[in-house]
Amino acid sequence: VRRLRAQAPDAPILVLGLGVDTKGARAALLAGADGFIYLGMQTTQIIHALSAPLKGDTLVSRELLEAFLVEKVSQVDTVLTPRQREFLELVATSPISGRDYVLPRELLEAFLRDAPVA
């Protein structure tokens, strides 16, 4: 992903997985991918995932976001940073487009990082 991003900085880069995979999706998104799609997603979800980067956003399926949230909450020593709390508030109050969330990339990355982000 990093090499592709260096060669084509403005091109949307989506990573394809076999299913909802938090480890693979986190690695792809933090490496600079604009989205993580997987087998079983609807065509409209994939189309939305391609168009979200044009607005500086990332489309995350409901299933993947739920898996991220369960993973984060299950960590006993989790202390959320202000940016991570902002992300959770955005998700809790954002209108849902079908089965997906369109999220600001910066907030998504802050939430996915293990280290606190200021």
Side-chain angles (χ1 to χ4, degrees):
V1 171
R2 286 186 180 101
R3 278 187 267 152
L4 284 172
R5 178 63 60 216
Q7 291 178 359
D10 297 329
I13 298 173
L14 300 179
V15 173
L16 174 64
L18 295 175
V20 176
D21 172 14
T22 56
K23 184 178 178 182
R26 174 180 285 107
L29 293 167
L30 290 176
D34 293 301
F36 182 83
I37 58 176
Y38 47 89
L39 299 178
M41 287 181 79
Q42 296 176 4
T43 305
T44 56
Q45 289 177 293
I46 296 169
I47 292 168
H48 287 120
L50 283 169
S51 63
L54 301 175
K55 297 177 246 174
D57 295 326
T58 301
L59 181 128
V60 178
S61 72
R62 178 187 289 261
E63 294 83 8
L64 185 57
L65 183 58
E66 286 174 358
F68 282 143
L69 293 172
V70 166
E71 187 179 77
K72 184 66 84 174
V73 170
S74 69
Q75 297 171 354
V76 176
D77 58 347
T78 298
V79 176
L80 297 177
T81 66
R83 297 295 308 254
Q84 290 170 328
R85 282 194 297 278
E86 182 182 353
F87 174 81
L88 289 176
E89 288 172 17
L90 175 71
V91 169
T93 60
S94 82
I96 301 169
S97 169
R99 299 168 35 129
D100 310 315
Y101 289 87
V102 177
L103 304 165
R105 180 163 187 72
E106 195 175 302
L107 278 181
L108 178 62
E109 287 179 359
F111 182 76
L112 294 176
R113 282 189 175 79
D114 291 330
V117 176

